[in-house]
Amino acid sequence: MAEAEHDLTKFIRTVQDFPTQGIEFKDISPLLANAHAFAQSIEVLADYYRDKQIEYVAGIEARGFLIAAALSLQLETGLLPIRKSGKLPGPVFSLEYELEYGSSTLELQKECFSMGSNILIVDDVLATGGTAECAAQLVNLAGGRIAGFGFLISLDSLAGRKRIAGYEEVTLVRYD
Ligand code: AMP
């Protein structure tokens, strides 16, 4: 990398009580807005997964799309959107998962890759791990092989790692 390495924590803003009371939101907008910090983030993930024969990068709606798009270009792979309910034209695999309050549904289009394809799943934040676990179940349901996960941020106190135990995981910034 031509530029000196940045401390990526400087580009992550913690916003109290957003979007709801009690949430410490990790805002990656400053990181995305800084060309070098964003490039460095993508490069670190790409460097780790470059020799792992990735065929698709799957991004989780919505901020995961931003990472997946840049990473798939770096790794020269296809891009798969994992979307919230009702956004993808069918047929789709659809799975509901529990949130802290209530539930949500993620979807992946059927037959968007061939059986056994090697797939890297990415998102901006790993929190409780429910979203990542649901994404993994969708990829498995569709017959993909999960090469691993990539996150910009992990909130380690929420123990999301346990939900995707057994898979490789690369995370750039960890908070206790
Ligand atoms: P979880 O399923 O609890 O691991 O939540 C992960 C998903 O929710 C990711 O798609 C994140 O974009 C979002 N998310 C959860 N907690 C936060 C947070 N504190 N700051 C920003 N995004 C979050």
Side-chain angles (χ1 to χ4, degrees):
M1 185 175 298
E3 289 289 319
E5 288 227 347
H6 292 286
D7 172 7
L8 295 174
T9 56
K10 282 195 247 161
F11 300 95
I12 297 165
R13 199 166 68 103
T14 300
V15 185
Q16 299 293 339
D17 299 323
F18 181 86
T20 52
Q21 194 73 21
I23 301 288
E24 266 194 14
F25 187 80
K26 298 298 181 194
D27 179 17
I28 61 163
S29 303
L31 185 152
L32 297 172
N34 183 286
H36 298 302
F38 187 35
Q40 181 180 318
S41 305
I42 298 302
E43 223 168 293
V44 173
L45 292 171
D47 282 351
Y48 184 84
Y49 282 107
R50 202 177 307 278
D51 62 353
K52 304 257 188 307
Q53 288 81 45
I54 307 298
E55 293 171 284
Y56 297 91
V57 180
I60 302 174
E61 186 169 356
R63 290 181 295 278
F65 293 167
L66 306 170
I67 301 153
L71 193 53
S72 68
L73 289 173
Q74 280 285 317
L75 293 175
E76 298 181 44
T77 70
L79 171 66
L80 302 172
I82 295 179
R83 301 211 61 179
K84 294 182 180 144
S85 179
K87 303 282 187 181
L88 289 169
V92 294
F93 291 107
S94 190
L95 279 180
E96 192 178 340
Y97 67 104
E98 297 304 313
L99 295 172
E100 209 173 341
Y101 300 103
S103 66
S104 186
T105 299
L106 288 179
E107 295 185 339
L108 174 65
Q109 272 173 328
K110 289 187 178 174
E111 293 169 19
C112 58
F113 55 79
S114 50
M115 289 286 169
S117 293
N118 208 27
I119 297 174
L120 167 62
I121 301 173
V122 300
D123 202 357
D124 62 335
V125 175
L126 176 67
T128 65
T131 308
E133 181 183 39
C134 181
Q137 287 170 348
L138 278 173
V139 168
N140 281 326
L141 205 58
R145 182 192 170 278
I146 298 169
F149 287 83
F151 303 98
L152 298 184
I153 296 165
S154 169
L155 308 178
D156 285 348
S157 61
L158 298 178
R161 182 78 195 88
K162 283 194 198 152
R163 309 280 289 268
I164 51 167
Y167 295 117
E168 291 212 55
E169 175 224 336
V170 177
T171 294
L172 306 188
V173 178
R174 293 185 179 278
Y175 293 86
D176 291 332

